[in-house]
C-alpha cells in the first residue's frame, strides 16, 4: 500500500487510517529538523535591524542559556519569533502553538504574550498601547514574561554580542521535539521555573 484507497475522508476504512497513522508518526520525527531549517530561513527575512531575525533568535537563546535557564526556556526562546515567517500579525501565537505540546505551560504562555509585553519598549513610537501588558496583571506568569522581554528579547539586537551558533542548540531542539506530546510531566501546568539561576 503506497497511498490510501479513498478520495474523500469519509470513505476511508481501518486499513487506510492505520496506514496514515504510521505515516504521520514517521513524519513527526522530522519536526525538529524542519524547525531548524525554518529558523535558518529567518536569516533571509527583511528586518531593518542591525542583525537578522535568526541572529536575534540565537542571541536571545544565548542570553537565556547564559542566565542559567533550563532547556524549555532556551528552546522556547530560540523559537519565539519563528512565526515571523508566516504570521507577521500574530507571530507570538504562532510560535506558542508550535511549542505547546512539548514545553512547560509557563514558557508557552510567555511566548504567546511576548508581543503584547514588548510594547512597553516601543509602543509609543508605533501608535500602539505601551501598557498592553497591563491586561495580564495578576497572571501567575506575568513577571516571567516581563523578565523574558527585558533580559532576552528586547536586549538581543546587538551585532557585537558573542552569540552562539545554531549548531550549539541543535541537540536541545531535538530533545524537546522528541518528547511525548502533551505529557503532563512536561507541561507542568501552573508550575514556574526561574529564568535566571
Ligand atoms: Fe517577537
Ligand atoms: Fe524577539
Amino acid at each position: 500500500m503506497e497511498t490510501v484507497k479513498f478520495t474523500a475522508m469519509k470513505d476511508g476504512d481501518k486499513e487506510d487510517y492505520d496506514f496514515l497513522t504510521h505515516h504521520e508518526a514517521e513524519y513527526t520525527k522530522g519536526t525538529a529538523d524542519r524547525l531548524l531549517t525554518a529558523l535558518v530561513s529567518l536569516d533571509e527575512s527583511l528586518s531593518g535591524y542591525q542583525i537578522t531575525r535568526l541572529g536575534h533568535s540565537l542571541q536571545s537563546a544565548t542570553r537565556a542559556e547564559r542566565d542559567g535557564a533550563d532547556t524549555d526556556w532556551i528552546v522556547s526562546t530560540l523559537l519565539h519569533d519563528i512565526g515571523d515567517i508566516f504570521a507577521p500579525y500574530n507571530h507570538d501565537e504562532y510560535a506558542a502553538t508550535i511549542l505547546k505540546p512539548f514545553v512547560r505551560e509557563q514558557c508557552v504562555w510567555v511566548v504567546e504574550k511576548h508581543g503584547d509585553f514588548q510594547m512597553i519598549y516601543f509602543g509609543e513610537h508605533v501608535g500602539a498601547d505601551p501598557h498592553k501588558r497591563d491586561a495580564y496583571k495578576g497572571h501567575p506568569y506575568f513577571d516571567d514574561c516581563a523578565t523574558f522581554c527585558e533580559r532576552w528579547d528586547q536586549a538581543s539586537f546587538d551585532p557585537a554580542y558573542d552569540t552562539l551558533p545554531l549548531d550549539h542548540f541543535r541537540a536541545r531542539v531535538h530533545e524537546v521535539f522528541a518528547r511525548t506530546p502533551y505529557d503532563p510531566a512536561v507541561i507542568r501546568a501552573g508550575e514556574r521555573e526561574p529564568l535566571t539561576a
Side-chain angles (χ1 to χ4, degrees), residues 53 56 80-84 91-92 95 111 114-116 118 148 153 157:
R53 295 310 265 175
H56 166 68
H80 79 281
D81 277 338
I82 201 159
D84 280 343
H91 79 290
D92 40 15
V111 169
H114 85 266
D116 288 346
Q118 284 285 81
F148 167 91
D153 195 0
F157 296 91

Side-chain angles (χ1 to χ4, degrees), residues 136-150:
Y136 309 109
K137 265 208 172 121
H139 192 282
Y141 304 142
F142 184 97
D143 291 347
D144 302 327
C145 196
T147 302
F148 167 91
C149 289
E150 177 67 24

Side-chain angles (χ1 to χ4, degrees), residues 23 87 90 131 145 149 177-179 189 197:
H23 259 255
N90 60 340
H131 300 288
C145 196
C149 289
F177 288 91
R179 292 172 177 172

Side-chain angles (χ1 to χ4, degrees), residues 49-64:
Y49 295 93
Q50 294 189 40
I51 62 175
T52 64
R53 295 310 265 175
L54 173 61
H56 166 68
S57 303
L58 291 169
Q59 189 170 133
S60 304
T62 301
R63 289 182 194 276

Side-chain angles (χ1 to χ4, degrees), residues 66-180:
R66 288 180 182 155
D67 269 351
D70 71 3
T71 291
D72 287 45
W73 275 126
I74 294 168
V75 170
S76 299
T77 303
L78 182 69
L79 297 178
H80 79 281
D81 277 338
I82 201 159
D84 280 343
I85 302 172
F86 295 122
Y89 297 102
N90 60 340
H91 79 290
D92 40 15
E93 293 173 323
Y94 184 107
T97 297
I98 289 170
L99 291 164
K100 193 173 182 179
F102 299 106
V103 300
R104 198 164 50 251
E105 176 192 79
Q106 175 196 22
C107 303
V108 174
W109 192 89
V110 164
V111 169
E112 183 182 310
K113 306 300 183 203
H114 85 266
D116 288 346
F117 274 67
Q118 284 285 81
M119 282 306 144
I120 198 91
Y121 303 109
F122 61 89
E124 61 173 317
H125 305 305
V126 298
D129 177 11
H131 300 288
K132 229 176 159 185
R133 61 169 67 183
D134 290 356
Y136 309 109
K137 265 208 172 121
H139 192 282
Y141 304 142
F142 184 97
D143 291 347
D144 302 327
C145 196
T147 302
F148 167 91
C149 289
E150 177 67 24
R151 295 191 64 82
W152 302 340
D153 195 0
Q154 68 82 29
S156 295
F157 296 91
D158 181 0
Y161 185 79
D162 174 25
T163 297
L164 292 164
L166 185 58
D167 277 345
H168 177 83
F169 298 103
R170 221 170 262 279
R172 276 192 207 273
V173 174
H174 275 273
E175 180 200 320
V176 163
F177 288 91
R179 292 172 177 172
T180 303

